[in-house]
Amino acid sequence: MLEVRSLGIDGVLEIVPKRHGDARGFFVETYNAERFARAGIDLLFVQDNHSYSAAAGVLRGLHYQLAPRAQDKLLRVIRGSVFDIAVDIRRGSKPLEDGSLLRSLPKRATRSWCQRASRMVS
């Protein structure tokens, strides 16, 4: 089961999977193609990256997506926290108004998804 909510920009979502826990710890199904598809997220993963920031306050990346090289981005935090900011810079948008901010925390197993779209900064 997934809890999915829009973050204010078309194609940018917060995904919170069901967490099963007891005294030993917890288990979270982080990806299930069928469940994601039922939630309207149809992905075909072709690349998986892992990054580590040694110090707090690191700016990890600024991504400008433009076809034909645009990619879906699925972010998960396993330790610490991340402020994931997406700004819509597509023609006709109001970048200072059409944006989203999500604080991703490992405790909730929160993930953010930024659908491949032209002219999106995340």
Side-chain angles (χ1 to χ4, degrees):
M1 180 166 160
L2 295 173
E3 177 186 334
V4 179
R5 73 176 180 97
S6 173
L7 291 176
I9 298 175
D10 185 35
V12 180
L13 304 172
E14 176 185 24
I15 302 166
V16 182
K18 180 140 177 75
R19 185 175 169 146
H20 308 277
D22 60 24
R24 300 169 295 171
F26 68 88
F27 172 82
V28 174
E29 183 178 70
T30 60
Y31 178 73
N32 179 300
E34 185 178 311
R35 287 192 173 118
F36 270 53
R38 281 196 309 254
I41 304 168
D42 194 15
L43 297 173
L44 170 62
F45 284 104
V46 294
Q47 181 177 330
D48 182 30
N49 302 321
H50 182 99
S51 65
Y52 166 74
S53 299
V58 172
L59 175 62
R60 177 50 59 192
L62 182 62
H63 307 278
Y64 175 86
Q65 300 191 94
L66 187 61
R69 293 185 178 84
Q71 298 177 344
D72 291 301
K73 307 237 184 311
L74 184 62
L75 172 80
R76 178 175 56 167
V77 178
I78 59 170
R79 185 174 177 193
S81 66
V82 167
F83 284 103
D84 190 21
I85 302 169
V87 178
D88 190 345
I89 61 171
R90 292 176 281 199
R91 194 176 311 267
S93 72
K94 301 172 195 136
L96 295 178
E97 297 173 23
D98 297 343
S100 70
L101 170 65
L102 172 66
R103 184 167 185 205
S104 295
L105 301 168
K107 184 187 287 185
R108 292 186 61 216
T110 302
R111 305 182 85 181
S112 64
W113 176 59
C114 184
Q115 181 182 30
R116 88 185 71 171
S118 66
R119 299 179 183 87
M120 181 81 68
V121 173
S122 66

